[in-house]
Amino acid sequence: MIKAILIFNNHGKPRLIRFYQYFAEDMQQQIIRETFHLVSKRDDNVCNFLEGGSLIGGSDYKLIYRHYATLYFVFCVDSSESELGILDLIQVFVETLDKCFENVCELDLIFHMDKVHYILQEVVMGGMVLETNMNEIVAQVEVQNRMEKSEVSVQCQPVAELISG
Amino acid sequence: MSDVVEKTLTALPSLLSLDPQPGSAKLSSTSKLGNLIRGITELTSKHEEEKLIQHELASIKDQVSSPNTSMMKELMVRAIYCESLGYEASFTYIHAIKLAQQGTALEKRVGYLAVSLFLNESHELLLLLVNTVLKDLQSTNLIEVCMALTVVSQMFPKDMIPAILPLVEEKLNHPKEIIRRKAVLALYKFYLIAPNQVQHIHNKFRKALCDKDPGVMTASLHIYLQMIQENPEGYKDLTASFVTILKQVVGGKLPMDFNYHSVPAPWLQIQLLRILALLGKNDQSASAVMYEVLDESLRRAEMNHNITYAILYECVKCIYTIHPKSDLLEKAAKCIGNFVLSPKINLKYLGLKALTYVVQQDPRLALQHQMTIIECLDHSDLIIKRETLELLFRITNAQNVVVIVEKMLEFLRVNTDDYTTIDLVGKVAELAEKYPSDTMSTVFSVGGDMMQPDIPNSFLKLLSEGFDSVEEDRKLRLFAVDSYITLLQKEPGKLPQRFLQVISWVLGEYSHLKDELEPTVVLKLLAKLLDMKHTSSETKSWILMAMTKLCEGGAEVSVVREVSETYSSSMDTVLRQRAHELQYLSQDSELRAKVLLRDNGLRPLEVDSSLSFLDGFVSEALAAGAAPYKPPHQRQEELAQAKALSLEPYGLSLPMSMSSCSITDRQSPTLLSMSSGLSGDSAEISHKGGSTSLKLDGVKRVWGREGYLPQRAAVEEAAQVEVPCTLRSPSQQGDADSSHSQTPTSTPTPTEPDPEKQQLASLFFGLSSQSSVCLMGKPEPTPHRFRRKAKGVTDPTSSSLISTPSNVEKLLCNNLLDSNIASELAVSSAKQITELPQGLKTASSAADEDPDRPKDLCLISHLPAELSELCHSEITPLCTIQSILCAVNSCQYRGDVLIQTPFNHLHQVTHVSAELKKSTQCLSFAHSDVTFPCRPLTVSTEEYGTMWLSFSHDTKQNLTLIGDGQEALTATLNVLKQKLQLHVVEIIGQEGILSCRLLQDQPCLMHCRVHAGTLAVWLRSPVPDLPDCLIYHCQRALQEY
């Protein structure tokens, strides 16, 4: 299970924080800081896996991260997840963001934090991997976006069409 | 694709600089959120940020309560932003819920998102959301249903699950696959937080597994993975189905949509392989079904992409987990080889992990890759290094331990991560314990104060208990003394506290082994430690104890006197106590010789946890009018009862005579110093009360061990410890070299004097020389290990009073009664001694007056020889026995010290008197373990009820259960019934009632309840001491069982 998904920039500023296991607010901030501390001092040519620090749950937990230019994408998972699988899931997530925002950049994540959350919700639901197919994810998000554009409550019929289309 | 992302992300810094640029046009720069973010990026200090956010929150607060709802969405996003920076915006929570409840679909979405980010499962506001979720689950709008399911799987109050469960279940039949899929995951979440609530829908899970949509099936695998992990036996029948599914997936039968980089549904494959591994573990028939598809997966996963490696890795793990099949193992081994040798660092990491996983079954694999492993040891990535060490840890044996430990220590020196350090120090300590060598000093100085506290303790235990060979023990101890002296002479200021404690213990204990070493030298070194500023008081007391052991009179007295004077007025009570001990013992060599035995005179020390040697003392104190001891729970109860009127201060008020205080109020630090000053080092009694922080596990054993097991360790093992690693016989050299030639990578020539390679050779030395024979099978036979001496098992019979009293007992008895030594004791003890005759008189007169008894005094003359050995001065036996009899008769007696085992004697005597009463003459004390004179008391439940209410004296305690599960209570009660002849009145569910009587007419009732894995026992009786006495016997009966 995925315990937390953290996105922060090279300076440790959180850009998206999603915990799937409850931690108190100050604990969350501490986890973010510690994770950043662990991840940021690693070169780009070392492996993408880290044994979890003592904070988030000990030896059963792993940090799996990718570093894209200014952003770190860190998934904190337990032993029931495959390391390489999660690594590719991060890639899928980032590619999806890229598609949805048309050349995603850090500012997109800042100003459209809510949208990023919606996209993430289609990938990971309650700590479980829901969908790994980028096209599916994008389709789901687009359904919601159209709802936004029309600004009217979408009824069952059109949505069904959208999903099947 | 990732290149594109990276390019765009590289362009970011320029975007972030806040000059108006075309790139930022697409961002809603005019929005309030935009302003906020802009503001924050301009700030330089944390303080300014705080101010800005507080301001922002205030403005959100203003607007959020205004009825203008068009702003709500944006306000929520701003609140989310503030929260993600770590600022609390709790006032928005209720608005988020409201938004989810009442808003339009879009607002609902923001509301749900905010709720799921702000709240947690146990937040009280969440209850307000239940209705909204219920409504949305029933909505015809698919998006609303999706939102509800998403929020439910993120968090939902456990007790409210039944309310929505039927609706979620219903969604399993929904025509849209995305809804079905989310419903499955929501149910999985329910299964995780409340497994019993979804028990009835297991067959619906099966339906989901067979869903026509592969996405739904994939989601259901989450559930199955979890359930199979918990109970593999229950799902064996699904093995074939999982195999079929995997076969279809691998065979490319899924729609193209499921391909990822042209690998068919890789995540699904990973999940299935994990499930298969769980099912095939230790199950030959289930494994047999899998072989074909595993082979197929291995073959298909040949493309060079990350995700295929993920599948391969799972495949390999699965193959090594299930019942082995040789050709598959071979292929898997090749796969591992590819991982380990891969230039990609992630794969190398996984390869090492896989090696670690399989190396216990097949150490040859490690041998094959030894060169790579060696390279990994020097890898720049700490994670890789650590993983390698983990692998090495698994293949450690007597031959390579030195090199491996060396490597670990090397890593520890550069490592900065606390977590890793603790973990690794533990491992090194474990190795050092298994294969003793001189590495512990380094461990202590490197590991510092971070290591687990049990590591130094177990090291000291190891040192004091020793191994099989006496000579080797001596050498090891000598070595320790030598190296520690050297360390102290250098720069002791840099050593961690834990290490200093270990050092002072070892020096105190073993420095006499080194003949040429003057105690004064050691004492001076220790005194220097005491003077150092950062020495903690815990360490100081270790040092003082070491000094106590060291001073033998003569030249060192001056050092000692100075130290003890300094610390005898210390504010720290423990230190003060130690200082007093030191002072007294250094002045009286006779006493010292009795208390501190050198281990050459080792005799088994029976630690009398019952403190029976204090019987006389206690009875005397009682006779002198001291309040009887009350167990803590009773004290608390009384306190609670008294609370309505008086507040605490009276609770502990006791006659302030020395004699009673030292028994009943053992927490009192000043008085404690007297009693534990004598026993502090040798018996554990005093530690319970006074010294809170000292861990003396190791200490007391020194005197407690008899000679060592006479088994001799193999001679070369002894040599191993003394001369590590560098010496190798030619044949062994040959072996090591031949192992090199097996490696796929560069092979070092045997003559190469490269130290690196030598080390390599010694690293795999153990593996290569025995790999084919020994390591393939079971772990090495015992000769490779230093066998730990079996712990002395306390003989149940010896704990009774009849056994020979230990030195400490004798000493204490003597001390308490013998006025020669009494001069050393605290002033008040003198008073106690003068009180003695008086107490004795009271005791005997009480006995005389008791009408129930025939002449108790004459009883003593009837006592057999064994019993009169109880204590060693002339008066004590008389006094002890009488007063105990008194205690039984007058029921005044309640000393803590006696409540535990001394009831042994108590009822022995009771027994005797009972027998006397019946005019039977045979007093058999041949066996010291007289059973509790208890008879079953047959009563009905109703009678029991009335009796229970009428009895006034009670005690409560938790006992251990025998067995587990439903039958535990019955089993435990049966044991009690058999052993103590209790009568089981009734057992109702998890509760049981029993009854018994002592002799003719002293009933005792027992009420038991199973609670949190223990048996909560409540005893009641009209006789004051009987409950305590019986509880002790129950405890013993259960222990013996």
Side-chain angles (χ1 to χ4, degrees):
Chain A
M1 192 160 135
I2 299 167
K3 299 289 167 183
I5 294 173
L6 313 173
I7 305 177
F8 40 71
N9 71 3
N10 288 347
H11 306 290
K13 278 259 172 258
R15 291 305 176 214
L16 179 128
I17 303 301
R18 188 61 147 134
F19 281 91
Y20 294 101
Q21 184 188 335
Y22 172 66
F23 289 100
E25 181 68 29
D26 47 345
M27 191 65 182
Q28 289 188 6
Q29 293 298 321
Q30 206 179 332
I31 290 172
I32 296 169
R33 274 196 303 275
E34 185 172 301
T35 311
F36 171 69
H37 181 70
L38 280 175
V39 166
S40 63
K41 64 182 179 196
R42 293 176 62 78
D43 291 343
D44 276 351
N45 59 350
V46 297
C47 73
N48 299 57
F49 316 119
L50 267 172
E51 303 286 327
S54 42
L55 267 183
I56 209 161
S59 56
D60 194 33
Y61 293 85
K62 280 168 292 203
L63 298 175
I64 297 164
Y65 73 96
R66 271 179 185 266
H67 187 199
Y68 294 97
T70 63
L71 290 175
Y72 284 99
F73 287 70
V74 186
F75 279 45
C76 175
V77 302
D78 68 9
S79 59
S80 71
E81 299 289 342
S82 147
E83 288 94 342
L84 287 176
I86 293 292
L87 206 57
D88 268 62
L89 188 72
I90 301 179
Q91 180 67 23
V92 169
F93 178 46
V94 172
E95 283 177 22
T96 312
L97 287 179
D98 195 55
K99 198 157 185 176
C100 290
F101 287 107
E102 290 158 18
N103 289 345
V104 69
C105 66
E106 189 180 343
L107 286 185
D108 290 321
L109 265 62
I110 303 170
F111 285 100
H112 302 288
M113 195 172 33
D114 49 338
K115 285 192 190 121
V116 179
H117 271 293
Y118 301 140
I119 296 169
L120 184 60
Q121 271 177 4
E122 298 304 323
V123 183
V124 178
M125 177 171 149
M128 279 87 67
V129 180
L130 174 71
E131 178 60 75
T132 51
N133 183 338
M134 185 172 71
N135 295 330
E136 276 295 311
I137 302 165
V138 173
Q140 287 298 325
V141 174
E142 263 168 15
V143 171
Q144 297 178 6
N145 287 348
R146 282 187 212 188
M147 178 177 77
E148 187 171 21
K149 274 175 197 152
S150 59
E151 280 288 359
V152 285
S153 186
V154 185
Q155 291 307 303
C156 185
Q157 194 50 39
V159 174
E161 277 172 21
L162 287 173
I163 292 174
S164 56
Chain B
M1 179 59 83
S2 65
D3 294 342
V4 179
V5 181
E6 264 171 60
K7 257 181 235 157
T8 51
L9 288 175
T10 345
L12 257 181
S14 60
L15 286 177
L16 266 179
S17 63
L18 291 152
D19 309 322
Q21 276 191 356
S24 57
K26 69 171 178 176
L27 307 166
S28 48
S29 51
T30 52
S31 71
K32 291 247 171 78
L33 179 69
N35 287 337
L36 170 65
I37 293 162
R38 206 173 298 273
I40 285 178
T41 17
E42 276 167 358
L43 299 177
T44 45
S45 75
K46 182 83 188 158
H47 179 69
E48 282 178 77
E49 183 188 292
E50 222 162 90
K51 243 166 67 185
L52 186 77
I53 297 272
Q54 290 311 337
H55 182 254
E56 174 73 14
L57 284 176
S59 96
I60 295 178
K61 199 170 186 173
D62 274 352
Q63 295 171 40
V64 89
S65 27
S66 75
N68 177 13
T69 46
S70 67
M71 292 288 290
M72 274 316 259
K73 232 178 70 189
E74 211 221 324
L75 285 173
M76 272 306 142
V77 176
R78 272 155 69 192
I80 294 176
Y81 185 77
C82 292
E83 279 257 333
S84 80
L85 287 177
Y87 298 91
E88 196 185 298
S90 51
F91 61 89
T92 52
Y93 296 174
I94 186 73
H95 294 285
I97 290 180
K98 234 197 262 172
L99 205 60
Q101 209 162 14
Q102 297 159 350
T104 62
L106 272 178
E107 286 171 339
K108 215 183 233 319
R109 188 166 70 152
V110 183
Y112 271 131
L113 176 66
V115 166
S116 71
L117 285 171
F118 292 160
L119 305 185
N120 64 69
E121 263 151 31
S122 50
H123 201 287
E124 50 190 1
L125 282 180
L126 211 53
L127 286 177
L128 298 176
L129 198 70
V130 175
N131 257 329
T132 319
V133 170
L134 264 178
K135 203 179 80 199
D136 285 336
L137 280 177
Q138 287 163 303
S139 161
T140 49
N141 185 338
L142 285 186
I143 289 183
E144 281 177 1
V145 178
C146 279
M147 286 192 288
L149 286 173
T150 305
V151 84
V152 156
S153 71
Q154 171 70 24
M155 52 169 181
F156 201 73
K158 198 170 161 185
D159 341 324
M160 296 311 284
I161 289 176
I164 56 162
L165 191 57
L167 283 174
V168 178
E169 268 178 67
E170 207 175 87
K171 296 287 174 275
L172 287 177
N173 299 323
H174 200 278
K176 275 274 151 273
E177 64 98 6
I178 183 75
I179 303 280
R180 290 205 300 275
R181 197 195 287 194
K182 288 192 173 180
V184 168
L185 284 185
L187 286 175
Y188 172 57
K189 189 71 185 200
F190 292 166
Y191 178 78
L192 285 183
I193 54 179
N196 47 350
Q197 303 205 351
V198 289
Q199 245 157 15
H200 63 286
I201 46 172
H202 276 197
N203 53 347
K204 295 212 172 160
F205 290 157
R206 289 204 181 210
K207 218 177 126 208
L209 182 66
C210 307
D211 199 281
K212 59 183 187 294
D213 185 90
V216 181
M217 186 262 289
T218 313
S220 76
L221 290 184
H222 283 290
I223 301 178
Y224 277 102
L225 185 63
Q226 178 72 27
M227 292 195 301
I228 292 173
Q229 215 155 20
E230 284 160 14
N231 172 26
E233 293 308 314
Y235 300 91
K236 293 281 185 198
D237 56 319
L238 285 175
T239 312
S241 320
F242 289 125
V243 169
T244 320
I245 297 171
L246 184 58
K247 223 175 255 176
Q248 287 173 352
V249 175
V250 173
K253 299 277 175 10
L254 288 187
M256 286 297 278
D257 288 352
F258 288 90
N259 284 9
Y260 174 78
H261 290 266
S262 49
V263 182
W267 285 278
L268 176 57
Q269 288 193 44
I270 291 170
Q271 199 87 332
L272 282 169
L273 285 167
R274 283 183 173 234
I275 290 179
L276 289 184
L278 289 173
L279 285 172
K281 193 173 185 182
N282 303 326
D283 185 340
Q284 189 167 3
S285 59
S287 304
V289 190
M290 303 170 193
Y291 291 143
E292 196 193 326
V293 72
L294 287 176
D295 195 32
E296 176 85 6
S297 304
L298 276 183
R299 209 158 40 79
R300 292 255 179 178
E302 271 172 355
M303 279 184 17
N304 196 10
H305 186 273
N306 236 347
I307 203 72
T308 53
Y309 289 117
I311 298 172
L312 273 180
Y313 177 70
E314 291 306 328
C315 234
V316 167
K317 264 186 99 169
C318 182
I319 289 171
Y320 271 97
T321 312
I322 64 173
H323 191 85
K325 183 168 187 261
S326 57
D327 64 323
L328 272 182
L329 285 179
E330 221 166 88
K331 283 179 190 168
K334 220 178 109 203
C335 257
I336 294 180
N338 288 340
F339 274 98
V340 175
L341 296 176
S342 164
K344 286 185 184 166
I345 193 143
N346 285 339
L347 298 186
K348 208 182 253 310
Y349 171 83
L350 286 180
L352 287 170
K353 253 188 129 68
L355 262 186
T356 315
Y357 186 74
V358 303
V359 83
Q360 274 133 332
Q361 296 170 47
D362 190 3
R364 280 172 311 170
L365 262 184
L367 196 62
Q368 272 175 30
H369 300 298
Q370 51 178 318
M371 280 310 291
T372 328
I373 295 173
I374 296 294
E375 277 163 26
C376 288
L377 266 182
D378 296 324
H379 203 280
S380 56
D381 188 355
L382 280 183
I383 299 294
I384 297 275
K385 257 187 181 171
R386 225 186 84 73
E387 206 50 49
T388 317
L389 289 178
E390 179 82 40
L391 169 62
L392 291 180
F393 174 69
R394 301 285 174 99
I395 58 168
T396 312
N397 58 26
Q399 278 94 347
N400 60 20
V401 62
V402 178
V403 188
I404 289 178
V405 167
E406 187 61 31
K407 281 285 169 194
M408 287 181 163
L409 292 175
E410 218 169 85
F411 180 84
L412 274 176
R413 281 191 201 101
V414 294
N415 181 52
T416 50
D417 175 22
D418 294 1
Y419 180 73
T420 322
T421 307
I422 293 171
D423 184 54
L424 208 56
V425 164
K427 289 201 168 114
V428 178
E430 198 184 321
L431 287 181
E433 216 168 294
K434 268 197 223 162
Y435 313 100
S437 57
D438 52 344
T439 48
M440 280 315 271
S441 320
T442 335
V443 178
F444 284 125
S445 47
V446 173
D449 292 327
M450 218 132 59
M451 64 175 81
Q452 311 278 1
D454 58 328
I455 293 173
N457 284 353
S458 60
F459 171 66
L460 292 184
K461 204 169 119 197
L462 182 86
L463 208 58
S464 65
E465 286 183 4
F467 310 109
D468 291 342
S469 133
V470 179
E471 179 54 23
E472 201 174 291
D473 285 344
R474 217 184 70 84
K475 273 188 193 160
L476 188 63
R477 288 169 190 165
L478 256 182
F479 176 81
V481 171
D482 269 346
S483 50
Y484 292 164
I485 291 278
T486 330
L487 270 175
L488 288 189
Q489 276 161 348
K490 271 189 232 154
E491 245 185 302
K494 284 182 182 161
L495 300 174
Q497 299 295 319
R498 286 254 166 75
F499 191 28
L500 286 180
Q501 292 165 9
V502 169
I503 290 179
S504 48
W505 187 86
V506 169
L507 289 183
E509 211 53 54
Y510 298 118
S511 63
H512 66 89
L513 291 176
K514 199 171 156 69
D515 296 329
E516 65 270 32
L517 191 66
E518 286 290 320
T520 326
V521 180
V522 186
L523 279 173
K524 276 189 181 144
L525 282 173
L526 290 175
K528 209 169 82 191
L529 283 184
L530 275 179
D531 294 337
M532 287 188 323
K533 256 196 209 110
H534 64 270
T535 312
S536 73
S537 63
E538 192 188 340
T539 313
K540 278 182 183 163
S541 74
W542 281 77
I543 296 172
L544 283 174
M545 270 163 37
M547 292 175 113
T548 315
K549 290 177 209 156
L550 279 171
C551 65
E552 281 174 328
E556 59 264 33
V557 169
S558 62
V559 186
V560 167
R561 186 173 302 138
E562 198 181 309
V563 168
S564 60
E565 267 164 20
T566 320
Y567 286 97
S568 56
S569 55
S570 162
M571 289 300 281
D572 188 318
T573 48
V574 179
L575 277 186
R576 193 155 57 182
Q577 179 192 326
R578 300 279 168 233
H580 278 292
E581 283 172 34
L582 175 60
Q583 203 171 357
Y584 288 127
L585 292 174
S586 65
Q587 281 161 11
D588 187 330
S589 56
E590 201 180 319
L591 177 63
R592 210 183 143 276
K594 280 185 189 164
V595 179
L596 301 167
L597 295 172
R598 277 280 149 77
D599 53 355
N600 39 10
L602 268 181
R603 283 179 38 198
L605 175 75
E606 301 299 341
V607 176
D608 185 356
S609 60
S610 67
L611 310 184
S612 56
F613 50 88
L614 287 172
D615 289 0
F617 189 63
V618 171
S619 55
E620 189 189 299
L622 285 169
Y629 172 79
K630 287 176 184 153
H633 68 89
Q634 196 184 348
R635 239 177 303 167
Q636 243 154 28
E637 260 167 41
E638 280 173 21
L639 214 63
Q641 282 164 7
K643 231 167 198 165
L645 287 174
S646 73
L647 295 166
E648 303 200 0
Y650 294 104
L652 289 170
S653 77
L654 293 161
M656 282 312 287
S657 84
M658 170 61 201
S659 48
S660 63
C661 276
S662 59
I663 299 158
T664 48
D665 185 12
R666 293 179 46 229
Q667 303 289 345
S668 164
T670 44
L671 293 170
L672 184 77
S673 64
M674 186 219 95
S675 62
S676 64
L678 295 161
S679 56
D681 287 339
S682 39
E684 61 187 349
I685 39 165
S686 67
H687 303 311
K688 283 192 221 153
S691 44
T692 47
S693 56
L694 285 177
K695 295 167 193 79
L696 291 165
D697 289 359
V699 178
K700 72 169 195 286
R701 298 192 181 276
V702 188
W703 296 283
R705 296 278 78 95
E706 209 172 0
Y708 302 102
L709 287 179
Q711 272 191 359
R712 299 204 59 84
V715 184
E716 71 256 38
E717 296 296 335
Q720 184 75 33
V721 176
E722 296 304 314
V723 196
C725 102
T726 40
L727 292 179
R728 278 175 289 137
S729 72
S731 69
Q732 285 165 335
Q733 173 85 54
D735 277 341
D737 292 332
S738 70
S739 72
H740 290 166
S741 57
Q742 290 174 21
T743 58
T745 48
S746 70
T747 314
T749 54
T751 48
E752 201 173 12
D754 186 355
E756 176 95 357
K757 308 299 177 203
Q758 268 186 354
Q759 170 207 350
L760 161 80
S762 55
L763 180 59
F764 288 96
F765 176 50
L767 284 179
S768 54
S769 59
Q770 335 168 338
S771 59
S772 53
V773 209
C774 175
L775 287 168
M776 274 304 279
K778 298 283 155 220
E780 316 132 58
T782 31
H784 284 285
R785 290 176 166 216
F786 290 88
R787 214 157 67 78
R788 271 289 201 81
K789 221 156 61 67
K791 273 191 190 167
V793 183
T794 326
D795 186 348
T797 55
S798 67
S799 66
S800 93
L801 193 68
I802 309 266
S803 68
T804 328
S806 68
N807 294 316
V808 190
E809 272 176 61
K810 268 192 223 166
L811 182 74
L812 272 174
C813 280
N814 290 341
N815 263 328
L816 293 177
L817 299 162
D818 185 353
S819 51
N820 293 335
I821 304 172
S823 62
E824 292 169 15
L825 307 176
V827 190
S828 50
S829 69
K831 195 165 118 205
Q832 170 248 318
I833 279 153
T834 54
E835 277 170 7
L836 191 136
Q838 198 197 340
L840 181 64
K841 212 186 287 165
T842 331
S844 44
S845 63
D848 281 337
E849 280 157 22
D850 195 324
D852 285 354
R853 295 284 166 216
K855 294 283 171 208
D856 279 302
L857 278 171
C858 68
L859 179 72
I860 285 107
S861 57
H862 286 274
L863 284 174
E866 289 97 316
L867 204 62
S868 52
E869 274 178 15
L870 286 180
C871 288
H872 290 265
S873 72
E874 279 92 355
I875 330 165
T876 353
L878 246 166
C879 172
T880 313
I881 290 164
Q882 273 200 346
S883 58
I884 289 174
L885 278 177
C886 282
V888 172
N889 294 336
S890 59
C891 303
Q892 284 289 313
Y893 179 75
R894 257 199 125 99
D896 159 51
V897 275
L898 280 191
I899 273 169
Q900 305 196 338
T901 39
F903 278 100
N904 242 346
H905 347 143
L906 188 144
H907 60 72
Q908 273 164 17
V909 179
T910 325
H911 206 63
V912 174
S913 59
E915 305 259 347
L916 272 178
K917 239 182 188 171
K918 290 183 220 150
S919 313
T920 45
Q921 63 274 62
C922 177
L923 291 174
S924 166
F925 274 86
H927 61 301
S928 55
D929 199 25
V930 183
T931 46
F932 191 56
C934 195
R935 311 277 178 274
L937 173 66
T938 322
V939 290
S940 71
T941 312
E942 286 74 31
E943 282 165 346
Y944 180 97
T946 15
M947 282 165 85
W948 179 265
L949 291 175
S950 64
F951 293 170
S952 50
H953 298 279
D954 66 344
T955 189
K956 287 180 194 169
Q957 195 158 354
N958 286 348
L959 300 180
T960 43
L961 277 169
I962 289 172
D964 44 25
Q966 299 296 318
E967 297 307 307
L969 179 67
T970 327
T972 316
L973 295 189
N974 278 338
V975 171
L976 291 179
K977 188 178 165 188
Q978 279 164 16
K979 292 234 173 185
L980 295 171
Q981 303 194 314
L982 304 182
H983 171 67
V984 181
V985 182
E986 201 173 355
I987 297 178
I988 313 156
Q990 292 297 294
E991 294 182 49
I993 49 178
L994 297 92
S995 62
C996 70
R997 64 199 158 93
L998 183 65
L999 303 177
Q1000 256 64 38
D1001 48 6
Q1002 295 173 322
C1004 186
L1005 303 180
M1006 182 170 174
H1007 172 262
C1008 315
R1009 192 161 61 89
V1010 178
H1011 177 67
T1014 56
L1015 189 67
V1017 178
W1018 190 359
L1019 287 163
R1020 274 196 175 186
S1021 166
V1023 188
D1025 285 326
L1026 194 52
D1028 288 317
C1029 189
L1030 188 61
I1031 198 102
Y1032 161 72
H1033 280 279
C1034 292
Q1035 230 164 8
R1036 245 183 78 153
L1038 292 178
Q1039 265 165 18
E1040 278 167 22
Y1041 183 82

